[in-house]
Amino acid sequence: ETGVTQSPTHLIKTRGQQVTLRCSSQSGHNTVSWYQQALGQGPQFIFQYYREEENGRGNFPPRFSGLQFPNYSSELNVNALELDDSALYLCASSLSSGRTDTQYFGPGTRLTVL
Amino acid sequence: KQEVTQIPAALSVPEGENLVLNCSFTDSAIYNLQWFRQDPGKGLTSLLLIQSSQREQTSGRLNASLDKSSGRSTLYIAASQPGDSATYLCAVTNFNKFYFGSGTKLNVKP
């Protein structure tokens, strides 16, 4: 059972715009991670939040930012959208900081940048 | 920088065959390794998680092994079924960062 949800399912934006993607973790999961998955590739780690603090970051520029809230919801914000930002964005939650726990993934948000 | 490689990129087998998927990683300082399944256009489903201190994990027809020293993991699928058709991804965890391979796309023919 995953219980992780994401919204919206699909989104179309134009270059230069800003976007906010949302994730609702399983109840009790203190950790959320965000990933970008381009077509035909494996997911690329963007960052992880643990108890509302950023706890690890991949090789993504500062225009990718996030927030985690006490109610187990979180957001991924991307500013100044570029064409290469078109991808499936996945969030995953786990009980602790992710070192030893299984990650449970949501279905993803498909972002298209025109 | 950790790099994760999966071979083969695609695999097509007849139903009932046993098969092995491979995953290799360059930095052996990992906390764990996880195997996932991804259906087209969907999120990932966790199959097996192996902690760095473990050698293998089993769930039903699936068995995953881990050899940290050589930087390798295998996922063994017994008696494959058409419903096993999907992309299989492995991921390793290093210091609160996660690294995925590009996956093996499996097609099991009836």
PDB file of all heavy atoms in Angstrom, chain A residues 35 37 41-43 45 48 55-57 90 98-103 105-107, chain B residues 1 31-32 34 36 38 42-44 46 49 51 89 93 96-98 100-102:
ATOM      1  N   TYR A  35      11.685  13.648  -7.392  1.00  0.00           N
ATOM      2  CA  TYR A  35      12.492  13.171  -8.502  1.00  0.00           C
ATOM      3  C   TYR A  35      11.956  13.721  -9.822  1.00  0.00           C
ATOM      4  O   TYR A  35      10.750  13.946  -9.967  1.00  0.00           O
ATOM      5  CB  TYR A  35      12.446  11.636  -8.586  1.00  0.00           C
ATOM      6  CG  TYR A  35      13.019  10.927  -7.389  1.00  0.00           C
ATOM      7  CD1 TYR A  35      12.258  10.695  -6.249  1.00  0.00           C
ATOM      8  CD2 TYR A  35      14.340  10.486  -7.398  1.00  0.00           C
ATOM      9  CE1 TYR A  35      12.789  10.041  -5.151  1.00  0.00           C
ATOM     10  CE2 TYR A  35      14.874   9.828  -6.302  1.00  0.00           C
ATOM     11  CZ  TYR A  35      14.092   9.620  -5.185  1.00  0.00           C
ATOM     12  OH  TYR A  35      14.622   8.965  -4.101  1.00  0.00           O
ATOM     13  N   GLN A  37      11.897  12.602 -13.831  1.00  0.00           N
ATOM     14  CA  GLN A  37      12.144  11.478 -14.716  1.00  0.00           C
ATOM     15  C   GLN A  37      11.857  11.877 -16.148  1.00  0.00           C
ATOM     16  O   GLN A  37      10.698  12.063 -16.535  1.00  0.00           O
ATOM     17  CB  GLN A  37      11.301  10.258 -14.322  1.00  0.00           C
ATOM     18  CG  GLN A  37      11.642   9.018 -15.133  1.00  0.00           C
ATOM     19  CD  GLN A  37      10.868   7.786 -14.708  1.00  0.00           C
ATOM     20  OE1 GLN A  37       9.780   7.875 -14.148  1.00  0.00           O
ATOM     21  NE2 GLN A  37      11.432   6.610 -14.951  1.00  0.00           N
ATOM     22  N   GLN A  41      14.362   7.489 -19.160  1.00  0.00           N
ATOM     23  CA  GLN A  41      15.465   7.547 -18.201  1.00  0.00           C
ATOM     24  C   GLN A  41      14.987   7.131 -16.815  1.00  0.00           C
ATOM     25  O   GLN A  41      13.790   7.077 -16.545  1.00  0.00           O
ATOM     26  CB  GLN A  41      16.019   8.977 -18.125  1.00  0.00           C
ATOM     27  CG  GLN A  41      16.554   9.491 -19.447  1.00  0.00           C
ATOM     28  CD  GLN A  41      17.762   8.715 -19.915  1.00  0.00           C
ATOM     29  OE1 GLN A  41      18.652   8.403 -19.136  1.00  0.00           O
ATOM     30  NE2 GLN A  41      17.788   8.363 -21.194  1.00  0.00           N
ATOM     31  N   GLY A  42      15.937   6.856 -15.946  1.00  0.00           N
ATOM     32  CA  GLY A  42      15.589   6.620 -14.555  1.00  0.00           C
ATOM     33  C   GLY A  42      15.340   7.943 -13.853  1.00  0.00           C
ATOM     34  O   GLY A  42      15.760   9.005 -14.328  1.00  0.00           O
ATOM     35  N   PRO A  43      14.655   7.923 -12.722  1.00  0.00           N
ATOM     36  CA  PRO A  43      14.414   9.156 -11.960  1.00  0.00           C
ATOM     37  C   PRO A  43      15.726   9.786 -11.497  1.00  0.00           C
ATOM     38  O   PRO A  43      16.659   9.086 -11.116  1.00  0.00           O
ATOM     39  CB  PRO A  43      13.588   8.677 -10.768  1.00  0.00           C
ATOM     40  CG  PRO A  43      12.973   7.393 -11.210  1.00  0.00           C
ATOM     41  CD  PRO A  43      13.984   6.772 -12.108  1.00  0.00           C
ATOM     42  N   PHE A  45      17.283  12.362  -8.679  1.00  0.00           N
ATOM     43  CA  PHE A  45      16.970  12.887  -7.358  1.00  0.00           C
ATOM     44  C   PHE A  45      17.101  14.401  -7.356  1.00  0.00           C
ATOM     45  O   PHE A  45      18.152  14.946  -7.692  1.00  0.00           O
ATOM     46  CB  PHE A  45      17.917  12.245  -6.342  1.00  0.00           C
ATOM     47  CG  PHE A  45      17.830  12.793  -4.954  1.00  0.00           C
ATOM     48  CD1 PHE A  45      16.676  12.638  -4.195  1.00  0.00           C
ATOM     49  CD2 PHE A  45      18.915  13.437  -4.379  1.00  0.00           C
ATOM     50  CE1 PHE A  45      16.606  13.118  -2.899  1.00  0.00           C
ATOM     51  CE2 PHE A  45      18.849  13.920  -3.081  1.00  0.00           C
ATOM     52  CZ  PHE A  45      17.693  13.767  -2.344  1.00  0.00           C
ATOM     53  N   GLN A  48      15.422  16.050  -0.850  1.00  0.00           N
ATOM     54  CA  GLN A  48      14.643  15.354   0.171  1.00  0.00           C
ATOM     55  C   GLN A  48      14.366  16.310   1.324  1.00  0.00           C
ATOM     56  O   GLN A  48      15.224  17.132   1.685  1.00  0.00           O
ATOM     57  CB  GLN A  48      15.414  14.149   0.710  1.00  0.00           C
ATOM     58  CG  GLN A  48      14.667  13.362   1.774  1.00  0.00           C
ATOM     59  CD  GLN A  48      15.538  12.273   2.396  1.00  0.00           C
ATOM     60  OE1 GLN A  48      16.406  12.523   3.219  1.00  0.00           O
ATOM     61  NE2 GLN A  48      15.290  11.038   1.989  1.00  0.00           N
ATOM     62  N   ASN A  55      17.062  17.979   3.461  1.00  0.00           N
ATOM     63  CA  ASN A  55      17.936  16.994   4.090  1.00  0.00           C
ATOM     64  C   ASN A  55      18.904  16.356   3.110  1.00  0.00           C
ATOM     65  O   ASN A  55      19.626  15.434   3.456  1.00  0.00           O
ATOM     66  CB  ASN A  55      17.048  15.910   4.721  1.00  0.00           C
ATOM     67  CG  ASN A  55      17.809  14.968   5.604  1.00  0.00           C
ATOM     68  OD1 ASN A  55      18.658  15.395   6.376  1.00  0.00           O
ATOM     69  ND2 ASN A  55      17.534  13.682   5.480  1.00  0.00           N
ATOM     70  N   GLY A  56      18.912  16.822   1.876  1.00  0.00           N
ATOM     71  CA  GLY A  56      19.769  16.257   0.846  1.00  0.00           C
ATOM     72  C   GLY A  56      19.324  16.830  -0.479  1.00  0.00           C
ATOM     73  O   GLY A  56      18.132  17.094  -0.673  1.00  0.00           O
ATOM     74  N   ARG A  57      20.261  17.051  -1.400  1.00  0.00           N
ATOM     75  CA  ARG A  57      19.925  17.663  -2.671  1.00  0.00           C
ATOM     76  C   ARG A  57      20.780  17.063  -3.782  1.00  0.00           C
ATOM     77  O   ARG A  57      21.967  16.805  -3.588  1.00  0.00           O
ATOM     78  CB  ARG A  57      20.154  19.179  -2.608  1.00  0.00           C
ATOM     79  CG  ARG A  57      19.595  19.932  -3.794  1.00  0.00           C
ATOM     80  CD  ARG A  57      19.771  21.443  -3.644  1.00  0.00           C
ATOM     81  NE  ARG A  57      19.158  22.129  -4.769  1.00  0.00           N
ATOM     82  CZ  ARG A  57      17.933  22.632  -4.765  1.00  0.00           C
ATOM     83  NH1 ARG A  57      17.190  22.538  -3.681  1.00  0.00           N
ATOM     84  NH2 ARG A  57      17.436  23.225  -5.838  1.00  0.00           N
ATOM     85  N   LEU A  90       8.056  12.921  -9.749  1.00  0.00           N
ATOM     86  CA  LEU A  90       7.608  11.926  -8.787  1.00  0.00           C
ATOM     87  C   LEU A  90       7.969  12.360  -7.375  1.00  0.00           C
ATOM     88  O   LEU A  90       9.055  12.897  -7.143  1.00  0.00           O
ATOM     89  CB  LEU A  90       8.281  10.583  -9.064  1.00  0.00           C
ATOM     90  CG  LEU A  90       7.984   9.949 -10.421  1.00  0.00           C
ATOM     91  CD1 LEU A  90       9.032   8.887 -10.747  1.00  0.00           C
ATOM     92  CD2 LEU A  90       6.603   9.331 -10.430  1.00  0.00           C
ATOM     93  N   GLY A  98      15.114   7.922   5.115  1.00  0.00           N
ATOM     94  CA  GLY A  98      15.277   7.222   3.850  1.00  0.00           C
ATOM     95  C   GLY A  98      16.482   6.319   3.778  1.00  0.00           C
ATOM     96  O   GLY A  98      16.649   5.612   2.816  1.00  0.00           O
ATOM     97  N   ARG A  99      17.330   6.333   4.792  1.00  0.00           N
ATOM     98  CA  ARG A  99      18.530   5.517   4.700  1.00  0.00           C
ATOM     99  C   ARG A  99      18.210   4.033   4.777  1.00  0.00           C
ATOM    100  O   ARG A  99      18.853   3.224   4.136  1.00  0.00           O
ATOM    101  CB  ARG A  99      19.488   5.871   5.838  1.00  0.00           C
ATOM    102  CG  ARG A  99      20.016   7.274   5.746  1.00  0.00           C
ATOM    103  CD  ARG A  99      21.003   7.561   6.848  1.00  0.00           C
ATOM    104  NE  ARG A  99      21.457   8.936   6.784  1.00  0.00           N
ATOM    105  CZ  ARG A  99      22.418   9.427   7.544  1.00  0.00           C
ATOM    106  NH1 ARG A  99      23.027   8.653   8.417  1.00  0.00           N
ATOM    107  NH2 ARG A  99      22.779  10.678   7.444  1.00  0.00           N
ATOM    108  N   THR A 100      17.222   3.710   5.580  1.00  0.00           N
ATOM    109  CA  THR A 100      16.927   2.293   5.757  1.00  0.00           C
ATOM    110  C   THR A 100      15.497   1.937   5.394  1.00  0.00           C
ATOM    111  O   THR A 100      15.129   0.784   5.473  1.00  0.00           O
ATOM    112  CB  THR A 100      17.176   1.858   7.205  1.00  0.00           C
ATOM    113  OG1 THR A 100      16.366   2.671   8.063  1.00  0.00           O
ATOM    114  CG2 THR A 100      18.632   2.039   7.578  1.00  0.00           C
ATOM    115  N   ASP A 101      14.704   2.912   5.039  1.00  0.00           N
ATOM    116  CA  ASP A 101      13.292   2.656   4.840  1.00  0.00           C
ATOM    117  C   ASP A 101      12.907   2.615   3.367  1.00  0.00           C
ATOM    118  O   ASP A 101      13.483   3.316   2.541  1.00  0.00           O
ATOM    119  CB  ASP A 101      12.448   3.747   5.516  1.00  0.00           C
ATOM    120  CG  ASP A 101      12.478   3.604   7.019  1.00  0.00           C
ATOM    121  OD1 ASP A 101      12.817   2.509   7.500  1.00  0.00           O
ATOM    122  OD2 ASP A 101      12.164   4.585   7.690  1.00  0.00           O
ATOM    123  N   THR A 102      11.909   1.819   3.100  1.00  0.00           N
ATOM    124  CA  THR A 102      11.351   1.745   1.756  1.00  0.00           C
ATOM    125  C   THR A 102      10.718   3.073   1.372  1.00  0.00           C
ATOM    126  O   THR A 102      10.057   3.712   2.193  1.00  0.00           O
ATOM    127  CB  THR A 102      10.296   0.628   1.709  1.00  0.00           C
ATOM    128  OG1 THR A 102      10.931  -0.610   1.991  1.00  0.00           O
ATOM    129  CG2 THR A 102       9.639   0.558   0.333  1.00  0.00           C
ATOM    130  N   GLN A 103      10.931   3.491   0.145  1.00  0.00           N
ATOM    131  CA  GLN A 103      10.272   4.686  -0.375  1.00  0.00           C
ATOM    132  C   GLN A 103       8.998   4.271  -1.104  1.00  0.00           C
ATOM    133  O   GLN A 103       9.009   3.338  -1.901  1.00  0.00           O
ATOM    134  CB  GLN A 103      11.187   5.432  -1.341  1.00  0.00           C
ATOM    135  CG  GLN A 103      12.398   6.059  -0.685  1.00  0.00           C
ATOM    136  CD  GLN A 103      13.097   7.003  -1.625  1.00  0.00           C
ATOM    137  OE1 GLN A 103      12.618   8.100  -1.889  1.00  0.00           O
ATOM    138  NE2 GLN A 103      14.215   6.561  -2.144  1.00  0.00           N
ATOM    139  N   PHE A 105       6.189   5.601  -3.711  1.00  0.00           N
ATOM    140  CA  PHE A 105       6.056   6.622  -4.733  1.00  0.00           C
ATOM    141  C   PHE A 105       4.605   6.942  -5.067  1.00  0.00           C
ATOM    142  O   PHE A 105       3.737   6.064  -5.038  1.00  0.00           O
ATOM    143  CB  PHE A 105       6.761   6.175  -6.019  1.00  0.00           C
ATOM    144  CG  PHE A 105       8.238   6.371  -5.996  1.00  0.00           C
ATOM    145  CD1 PHE A 105       9.057   5.493  -5.310  1.00  0.00           C
ATOM    146  CD2 PHE A 105       8.816   7.444  -6.653  1.00  0.00           C
ATOM    147  CE1 PHE A 105      10.432   5.678  -5.270  1.00  0.00           C
ATOM    148  CE2 PHE A 105      10.187   7.634  -6.633  1.00  0.00           C
ATOM    149  CZ  PHE A 105      10.998   6.756  -5.943  1.00  0.00           C
ATOM    150  N   GLY A 106       4.383   8.203  -5.415  1.00  0.00           N
ATOM    151  CA  GLY A 106       3.108   8.613  -5.976  1.00  0.00           C
ATOM    152  C   GLY A 106       3.090   8.344  -7.472  1.00  0.00           C
ATOM    153  O   GLY A 106       4.105   7.938  -8.048  1.00  0.00           O
ATOM    154  N   PRO A 107       1.947   8.581  -8.126  1.00  0.00           N
ATOM    155  CA  PRO A 107       1.806   8.291  -9.553  1.00  0.00           C
ATOM    156  C   PRO A 107       2.496   9.310 -10.457  1.00  0.00           C
ATOM    157  O   PRO A 107       2.666   9.050 -11.641  1.00  0.00           O
ATOM    158  CB  PRO A 107       0.295   8.319  -9.766  1.00  0.00           C
ATOM    159  CG  PRO A 107      -0.198   9.244  -8.710  1.00  0.00           C
ATOM    160  CD  PRO A 107       0.696   9.034  -7.526  1.00  0.00           C
TER     161      PRO A 107
ATOM    162  N   LYS B   1      31.285  10.664  -8.009  1.00  0.00           N
ATOM    163  CA  LYS B   1      29.824  10.672  -8.083  1.00  0.00           C
ATOM    164  C   LYS B   1      29.330   9.260  -8.382  1.00  0.00           C
ATOM    165  O   LYS B   1      29.910   8.554  -9.186  1.00  0.00           O
ATOM    166  CB  LYS B   1      29.375  11.625  -9.189  1.00  0.00           C
ATOM    167  CG  LYS B   1      27.873  11.703  -9.312  1.00  0.00           C
ATOM    168  CD  LYS B   1      27.473  12.364 -10.613  1.00  0.00           C
ATOM    169  CE  LYS B   1      25.974  12.183 -10.877  1.00  0.00           C
ATOM    170  NZ  LYS B   1      25.598  12.618 -12.212  1.00  0.00           N
ATOM    171  N   TYR B  31      23.937   2.894   1.648  1.00  0.00           N
ATOM    172  CA  TYR B  31      23.143   2.498   2.806  1.00  0.00           C
ATOM    173  C   TYR B  31      22.234   1.324   2.471  1.00  0.00           C
ATOM    174  O   TYR B  31      21.994   0.440   3.271  1.00  0.00           O
ATOM    175  CB  TYR B  31      22.291   3.656   3.306  1.00  0.00           C
ATOM    176  CG  TYR B  31      23.073   4.795   3.895  1.00  0.00           C
ATOM    177  CD1 TYR B  31      22.866   6.099   3.463  1.00  0.00           C
ATOM    178  CD2 TYR B  31      24.026   4.578   4.883  1.00  0.00           C
ATOM    179  CE1 TYR B  31      23.582   7.153   4.003  1.00  0.00           C
ATOM    180  CE2 TYR B  31      24.743   5.626   5.425  1.00  0.00           C
ATOM    181  CZ  TYR B  31      24.518   6.916   4.971  1.00  0.00           C
ATOM    182  OH  TYR B  31      25.221   7.955   5.497  1.00  0.00           O
ATOM    183  N   ASN B  32      21.675   1.375   1.271  1.00  0.00           N
ATOM    184  CA  ASN B  32      20.798   0.296   0.837  1.00  0.00           C
ATOM    185  C   ASN B  32      20.642   0.311  -0.668  1.00  0.00           C
ATOM    186  O   ASN B  32      21.096   1.241  -1.346  1.00  0.00           O
ATOM    187  CB  ASN B  32      19.415   0.383   1.518  1.00  0.00           C
ATOM    188  CG  ASN B  32      18.684   1.676   1.218  1.00  0.00           C
ATOM    189  OD1 ASN B  32      18.564   2.075   0.081  1.00  0.00           O
ATOM    190  ND2 ASN B  32      18.170   2.318   2.255  1.00  0.00           N
ATOM    191  N   GLN B  34      17.542  -0.687  -3.590  1.00  0.00           N
ATOM    192  CA  GLN B  34      16.129  -0.989  -3.719  1.00  0.00           C
ATOM    193  C   GLN B  34      15.808  -1.291  -5.184  1.00  0.00           C
ATOM    194  O   GLN B  34      16.309  -0.611  -6.086  1.00  0.00           O
ATOM    195  CB  GLN B  34      15.299   0.209  -3.223  1.00  0.00           C
ATOM    196  CG  GLN B  34      13.854  -0.101  -2.916  1.00  0.00           C
ATOM    197  CD  GLN B  34      13.210   0.996  -2.070  1.00  0.00           C
ATOM    198  OE1 GLN B  34      13.831   1.955  -1.655  1.00  0.00           O
ATOM    199  NE2 GLN B  34      11.924   0.847  -1.802  1.00  0.00           N
ATOM    200  N   PHE B  36      12.708  -1.537  -7.977  1.00  0.00           N
ATOM    201  CA  PHE B  36      11.367  -1.032  -8.235  1.00  0.00           C
ATOM    202  C   PHE B  36      10.858  -1.574  -9.562  1.00  0.00           C
ATOM    203  O   PHE B  36      11.628  -1.941 -10.443  1.00  0.00           O
ATOM    204  CB  PHE B  36      11.354   0.498  -8.335  1.00  0.00           C
ATOM    205  CG  PHE B  36      11.710   1.222  -7.079  1.00  0.00           C
ATOM    206  CD1 PHE B  36      13.030   1.519  -6.775  1.00  0.00           C
ATOM    207  CD2 PHE B  36      10.716   1.632  -6.195  1.00  0.00           C
ATOM    208  CE1 PHE B  36      13.366   2.203  -5.623  1.00  0.00           C
ATOM    209  CE2 PHE B  36      11.033   2.323  -5.040  1.00  0.00           C
ATOM    210  CZ  PHE B  36      12.355   2.611  -4.755  1.00  0.00           C
ATOM    211  N   GLN B  38       8.161  -0.241 -12.651  1.00  0.00           N
ATOM    212  CA  GLN B  38       7.405   0.904 -13.150  1.00  0.00           C
ATOM    213  C   GLN B  38       6.615   0.488 -14.385  1.00  0.00           C
ATOM    214  O   GLN B  38       7.189   0.036 -15.375  1.00  0.00           O
ATOM    215  CB  GLN B  38       8.321   2.080 -13.490  1.00  0.00           C
ATOM    216  CG  GLN B  38       7.558   3.341 -13.876  1.00  0.00           C
ATOM    217  CD  GLN B  38       8.451   4.548 -14.052  1.00  0.00           C
ATOM    218  OE1 GLN B  38       9.611   4.431 -14.430  1.00  0.00           O
ATOM    219  NE2 GLN B  38       7.918   5.734 -13.765  1.00  0.00           N
ATOM    220  N   LYS B  42       3.430   5.467 -15.202  1.00  0.00           N
ATOM    221  CA  LYS B  42       3.012   5.385 -13.797  1.00  0.00           C
ATOM    222  C   LYS B  42       4.186   5.625 -12.850  1.00  0.00           C
ATOM    223  O   LYS B  42       5.344   5.727 -13.248  1.00  0.00           O
ATOM    224  CB  LYS B  42       2.430   3.989 -13.521  1.00  0.00           C
ATOM    225  CG  LYS B  42       1.242   3.623 -14.398  1.00  0.00           C
ATOM    226  CD  LYS B  42       0.026   4.449 -14.057  1.00  0.00           C
ATOM    227  CE  LYS B  42      -1.180   4.123 -14.921  1.00  0.00           C
ATOM    228  NZ  LYS B  42      -1.619   2.721 -14.769  1.00  0.00           N
ATOM    229  N   GLY B  43       3.843   5.699 -11.569  1.00  0.00           N
ATOM    230  CA  GLY B  43       4.873   5.813 -10.547  1.00  0.00           C
ATOM    231  C   GLY B  43       5.578   4.483 -10.322  1.00  0.00           C
ATOM    232  O   GLY B  43       5.353   3.513 -11.033  1.00  0.00           O
ATOM    233  N   LEU B  44       6.446   4.460  -9.327  1.00  0.00           N
ATOM    234  CA  LEU B  44       7.252   3.279  -9.037  1.00  0.00           C
ATOM    235  C   LEU B  44       6.657   2.473  -7.888  1.00  0.00           C
ATOM    236  O   LEU B  44       6.168   3.049  -6.913  1.00  0.00           O
ATOM    237  CB  LEU B  44       8.669   3.694  -8.663  1.00  0.00           C
ATOM    238  CG  LEU B  44       9.632   4.047  -9.794  1.00  0.00           C
ATOM    239  CD1 LEU B  44       9.191   5.276 -10.556  1.00  0.00           C
ATOM    240  CD2 LEU B  44      11.039   4.221  -9.246  1.00  0.00           C
ATOM    241  N   SER B  46       7.740  -0.343  -5.083  1.00  0.00           N
ATOM    242  CA  SER B  46       8.887  -0.993  -4.454  1.00  0.00           C
ATOM    243  C   SER B  46       8.706  -2.506  -4.456  1.00  0.00           C
ATOM    244  O   SER B  46       7.635  -3.020  -4.122  1.00  0.00           O
ATOM    245  CB  SER B  46       9.045  -0.503  -3.015  1.00  0.00           C
ATOM    246  OG  SER B  46      10.101  -1.177  -2.384  1.00  0.00           O
ATOM    247  N   LEU B  49      13.898  -4.272  -0.820  1.00  0.00           N
ATOM    248  CA  LEU B  49      14.893  -3.364  -0.256  1.00  0.00           C
ATOM    249  C   LEU B  49      15.952  -4.205   0.438  1.00  0.00           C
ATOM    250  O   LEU B  49      15.624  -5.034   1.289  1.00  0.00           O
ATOM    251  CB  LEU B  49      14.243  -2.412   0.746  1.00  0.00           C
ATOM    252  CG  LEU B  49      15.169  -1.530   1.577  1.00  0.00           C
ATOM    253  CD1 LEU B  49      15.844  -0.501   0.708  1.00  0.00           C
ATOM    254  CD2 LEU B  49      14.400  -0.866   2.711  1.00  0.00           C
ATOM    255  N   GLN B  51      19.315  -3.901   2.753  1.00  0.00           N
ATOM    256  CA  GLN B  51      20.190  -3.037   3.531  1.00  0.00           C
ATOM    257  C   GLN B  51      21.643  -3.365   3.207  1.00  0.00           C
ATOM    258  O   GLN B  51      21.958  -4.464   2.754  1.00  0.00           O
ATOM    259  CB  GLN B  51      19.926  -3.231   5.030  1.00  0.00           C
ATOM    260  CG  GLN B  51      18.483  -3.026   5.451  1.00  0.00           C
ATOM    261  CD  GLN B  51      17.994  -1.612   5.256  1.00  0.00           C
ATOM    262  OE1 GLN B  51      18.760  -0.711   4.933  1.00  0.00           O
ATOM    263  NE2 GLN B  51      16.705  -1.412   5.445  1.00  0.00           N
ATOM    264  N   LEU B  89      13.718  -0.978 -12.187  1.00  0.00           N
ATOM    265  CA  LEU B  89      14.743   0.006 -11.847  1.00  0.00           C
ATOM    266  C   LEU B  89      15.402  -0.366 -10.529  1.00  0.00           C
ATOM    267  O   LEU B  89      14.724  -0.811  -9.592  1.00  0.00           O
ATOM    268  CB  LEU B  89      14.118   1.394 -11.708  1.00  0.00           C
ATOM    269  CG  LEU B  89      13.505   1.987 -12.978  1.00  0.00           C
ATOM    270  CD1 LEU B  89      12.284   2.804 -12.648  1.00  0.00           C
ATOM    271  CD2 LEU B  89      14.524   2.835 -13.701  1.00  0.00           C
ATOM    272  N   THR B  93      21.233   4.271  -2.217  1.00  0.00           N
ATOM    273  CA  THR B  93      21.202   5.435  -1.333  1.00  0.00           C
ATOM    274  C   THR B  93      22.598   5.692  -0.793  1.00  0.00           C
ATOM    275  O   THR B  93      23.227   4.793  -0.227  1.00  0.00           O
ATOM    276  CB  THR B  93      20.256   5.184  -0.140  1.00  0.00           C
ATOM    277  OG1 THR B  93      18.974   4.812  -0.632  1.00  0.00           O
ATOM    278  CG2 THR B  93      20.125   6.437   0.712  1.00  0.00           C
ATOM    279  N   ASN B  96      22.002  10.369   2.067  1.00  0.00           N
ATOM    280  CA  ASN B  96      20.774  11.132   1.808  1.00  0.00           C
ATOM    281  C   ASN B  96      20.625  11.582   0.369  1.00  0.00           C
ATOM    282  O   ASN B  96      19.945  12.569   0.086  1.00  0.00           O
ATOM    283  CB  ASN B  96      20.667  12.340   2.736  1.00  0.00           C
ATOM    284  CG  ASN B  96      20.370  11.928   4.152  1.00  0.00           C
ATOM    285  OD1 ASN B  96      20.080  10.769   4.424  1.00  0.00           O
ATOM    286  ND2 ASN B  96      20.443  12.868   5.062  1.00  0.00           N
ATOM    287  N   LYS B  97      21.284  10.890  -0.536  1.00  0.00           N
ATOM    288  CA  LYS B  97      21.044  11.110  -1.954  1.00  0.00           C
ATOM    289  C   LYS B  97      20.715   9.765  -2.578  1.00  0.00           C
ATOM    290  O   LYS B  97      21.195   8.732  -2.130  1.00  0.00           O
ATOM    291  CB  LYS B  97      22.263  11.727  -2.637  1.00  0.00           C
ATOM    292  CG  LYS B  97      22.578  13.124  -2.146  1.00  0.00           C
ATOM    293  CD  LYS B  97      23.690  13.737  -2.958  1.00  0.00           C
ATOM    294  CE  LYS B  97      23.969  15.153  -2.474  1.00  0.00           C
ATOM    295  NZ  LYS B  97      25.037  15.800  -3.270  1.00  0.00           N
ATOM    296  N   PHE B  98      19.920   9.815  -3.618  1.00  0.00           N
ATOM    297  CA  PHE B  98      19.411   8.596  -4.220  1.00  0.00           C
ATOM    298  C   PHE B  98      19.779   8.579  -5.695  1.00  0.00           C
ATOM    299  O   PHE B  98      19.623   9.583  -6.392  1.00  0.00           O
ATOM    300  CB  PHE B  98      17.895   8.515  -4.045  1.00  0.00           C
ATOM    301  CG  PHE B  98      17.474   8.622  -2.608  1.00  0.00           C
ATOM    302  CD1 PHE B  98      17.265   9.850  -2.009  1.00  0.00           C
ATOM    303  CD2 PHE B  98      17.318   7.480  -1.849  1.00  0.00           C
ATOM    304  CE1 PHE B  98      16.907   9.945  -0.677  1.00  0.00           C
ATOM    305  CE2 PHE B  98      16.952   7.569  -0.515  1.00  0.00           C
ATOM    306  CZ  PHE B  98      16.751   8.803   0.077  1.00  0.00           C
ATOM    307  N   PHE B 100      19.382   6.370  -9.305  1.00  0.00           N
ATOM    308  CA  PHE B 100      18.684   5.332 -10.050  1.00  0.00           C
ATOM    309  C   PHE B 100      19.444   4.949 -11.308  1.00  0.00           C
ATOM    310  O   PHE B 100      20.113   5.785 -11.930  1.00  0.00           O
ATOM    311  CB  PHE B 100      17.299   5.828 -10.493  1.00  0.00           C
ATOM    312  CG  PHE B 100      16.235   5.717  -9.444  1.00  0.00           C
ATOM    313  CD1 PHE B 100      16.096   6.676  -8.463  1.00  0.00           C
ATOM    314  CD2 PHE B 100      15.344   4.645  -9.451  1.00  0.00           C
ATOM    315  CE1 PHE B 100      15.093   6.580  -7.505  1.00  0.00           C
ATOM    316  CE2 PHE B 100      14.337   4.539  -8.505  1.00  0.00           C
ATOM    317  CZ  PHE B 100      14.222   5.513  -7.532  1.00  0.00           C
ATOM    318  N   GLY B 101      19.296   3.699 -11.713  1.00  0.00           N
ATOM    319  CA  GLY B 101      19.705   3.293 -13.037  1.00  0.00           C
ATOM    320  C   GLY B 101      18.635   3.683 -14.042  1.00  0.00           C
ATOM    321  O   GLY B 101      17.564   4.179 -13.665  1.00  0.00           O
ATOM    322  N   SER B 102      18.904   3.445 -15.310  1.00  0.00           N
ATOM    323  CA  SER B 102      17.951   3.795 -16.370  1.00  0.00           C
ATOM    324  C   SER B 102      16.904   2.708 -16.594  1.00  0.00           C
ATOM    325  O   SER B 102      15.954   2.924 -17.355  1.00  0.00           O
ATOM    326  CB  SER B 102      18.683   4.060 -17.681  1.00  0.00           C
ATOM    327  OG  SER B 102      19.495   5.204 -17.559  1.00  0.00           O
TER     328      SER B 102
END
